[in-house]
Amino acid sequence: MQKKLFILAVCFVTAILPCIGKPKVWIISDMTDKTLPGGNKEGTINDPDDISAMAGYLLMANEFETLGIVVGSTHRKEHATTPNQAQWANTYFGQAYAKDLPGLKTLGDYPARIPFIQSSIKESAERFNPNREYDSLKPYPSIAALFQALEKEDGTVNVLCWGSLTEPAILVNHCLNHGRDDLLKKTRFIAHWTNSSLHQGTPEHPEHVANCREDAKACAYLKAMAKVGLVDYRECGAIGQHGIVSGAPKGKAYYDQFHTSALGTIFVEGKFVFNGVDHSDSATYWTLLGDWGVKLDDITSTGTNDPETERANEAKFKARSHDIHNELLRRSNAAGIAHSPALHD
């Protein structure tokens, strides 16, 4: 009898194992090549903080199943004539990742490569129109690629939103207009700082923050859909900036240690300000991992982010920020070992 129960238990565990896996991730970022001159305070077209956040993500890439990464999802009109940003990202990050991969593989099962896609709105600077029905995704290859990924995948797909919300809003509009609620039920949006009562925004107008002003109609539309339960939208608020970044180790001496690897170097040099690295968008994936201070259950699925919740989550990330950075440093060091000159002496 005990033998039969054991066999049944083994069969049961084997049956459910395929359901237990790495979080499936799709990233939509406004990141672009920071050597392209622009008018912001960094002298770039887009804020380079996403570059540091992406380097951190790639150091953590064995923790996720990456389905796609969209870059250049921005409304900056200067990008109408700039080079293809997927080509830039595939070279810039791709070469660094390939160089570090042998060392990273000592830590776990990292994918062989992670390809990037250029956003459909990069050249047009299009903003979401809530009065329009987006019947066809043909003009939007990057959104169509996400739609196709949703059709293919069985489990939840986590869409990390690091900037503009026009692409997610078009996807939701298209799915609702075509009766594809089934796809929305397996989509979870995790957004960085499109709402904050504490930073930039106010309790009366938490939407008055940079990422929401960027395309306010898309932002309002997604949150309205989340409020009535049509989509799962987790709003991080400013907990990346005022938790992970503010609570981080400070000083050049600490961050110089990251220069041992190619991805570590990009992490540090993407946006190094105020004696630290600005990678605030990373709050989306640290929250998804759930073991680093803030968990998905700490954030509602209705697009809201009240002051008490944001303040509590900010404190949780701040308390674990040194652990987060030390984990990135550990991985950077492992990545650098494979191409360390000392290793080949």
Side-chain angles (χ1 to χ4, degrees), residues 13-46:
V13 170
T14 303
I16 65 170
L17 274 176
C19 300
I20 303 172
K22 301 176 182 180
K24 301 175 190 292
V25 171
W26 186 280
I27 298 176
I28 302 177
S29 168
D30 59 8
M31 174 179 63
T32 54
D33 182 358
K34 76 171 191 173
T35 66
L36 298 170
N40 65 18
K41 60 185 178 182
E42 284 81 27
T44 63
I45 301 177
N46 288 91

Side-chain angles (χ1 to χ4, degrees), residues 5-305:
L5 288 174
F6 175 76
I7 293 171
L8 285 171
V10 169
C11 291
F12 176 74
V13 170
T14 303
I16 65 170
L17 274 176
C19 300
I20 303 172
K22 301 176 182 180
K24 301 175 190 292
V25 171
W26 186 280
I27 298 176
I28 302 177
S29 168
D30 59 8
M31 174 179 63
T32 54
D33 182 358
K34 76 171 191 173
T35 66
L36 298 170
N40 65 18
K41 60 185 178 182
E42 284 81 27
T44 63
I45 301 177
N46 288 91
D47 191 336
D49 60 336
D50 285 17
I51 293 177
S52 290
M54 183 58 64
Y57 178 83
L58 295 176
L59 285 169
M60 301 294 297
N62 67 313
E63 304 290 339
F64 308 101
E65 182 182 346
T66 307
L67 304 179
I69 302 177
V70 177
V71 297
S73 188
T74 174
H75 305 288
R76 303 291 187 272
K77 293 182 179 179
E78 298 96 321
H79 278 303
T81 57
T82 58
N84 185 295
Q85 291 303 286
Q87 292 178 4
W88 162 75
N90 281 316
T91 299
Y92 184 67
F93 288 105
Q95 290 180 352
Y97 185 78
K99 187 175 183 181
D100 287 351
L101 187 57
L104 289 172
K105 280 185 171 292
T106 66
L107 301 176
D109 183 21
Y110 281 77
R113 61 186 294 270
I114 297 179
F116 294 81
I117 305 166
Q118 177 169 278
S119 168
S120 307
I121 68 169
K122 177 258 189 188
E123 294 172 2
S124 66
E126 179 178 346
R127 284 179 168 82
F128 175 73
N129 179 359
N131 298 316
R132 175 181 167 189
E133 291 187 357
Y134 291 85
D135 288 327
S136 173
L137 293 181
K138 190 174 181 180
Y140 309 103
S142 59
I143 306 172
L146 174 54
F147 183 90
Q148 290 160 9
L150 289 168
E151 286 192 307
K152 178 182 175 183
E153 297 299 326
D154 293 327
T156 300
V157 174
N158 299 280
V159 181
L160 311 188
C161 305
W162 292 5
S164 168
L165 294 178
T166 283
E167 292 193 65
I170 291 174
L171 172 78
V172 171
N173 179 290
H174 178 80
C175 287
L176 291 175
N177 287 333
H178 286 268
R180 297 306 307 268
D181 305 57
D182 60 314
L183 299 186
L184 295 181
K185 286 177 182 176
K186 56 182 176 180
T187 307
R188 180 192 291 127
F189 297 101
I190 307 175
H192 163 68
W193 206 346
T194 65
N195 168 302
S196 176
S197 299
L198 307 178
H199 306 285
Q200 292 187 18
T202 65
E204 296 75 23
H205 293 287
E207 77 280 2
H208 284 183
V209 297
N211 282 341
C212 203
R213 289 194 301 266
E214 182 80 5
D215 53 354
K217 292 179 180 179
C219 192
Y221 174 80
L222 280 176
K223 291 179 180 179
M225 296 301 101
K227 188 175 182 180
V228 297
L230 291 175
V231 298
D232 184 328
Y233 186 100
R234 311 286 172 129
E235 170 57 57
C236 288
I239 62 177
Q241 190 69 48
H242 295 275
I244 294 174
V245 176
S246 293
K250 302 299 179 187
K252 188 173 180 293
Y254 177 82
Y255 291 99
D256 277 348
Q257 298 176 89
F258 283 86
H259 286 293
T260 55
S261 73
L263 288 173
T265 298
I266 292 176
F267 173 73
V268 171
E269 295 181 354
K271 187 178 181 183
F272 190 84
V273 290
F274 305 117
N275 277 323
V277 174
D278 184 351
H279 57 121
S280 58
D281 298 83
S282 68
T284 56
Y285 56 82
W286 290 109
T287 296
L288 180 57
L289 287 174
D291 297 324
W292 299 91
V294 179
K295 305 184 295 295
L296 281 174
D297 288 345
D298 294 328
I299 303 173
T300 69
S301 62
T302 57
T304 60
N305 186 46

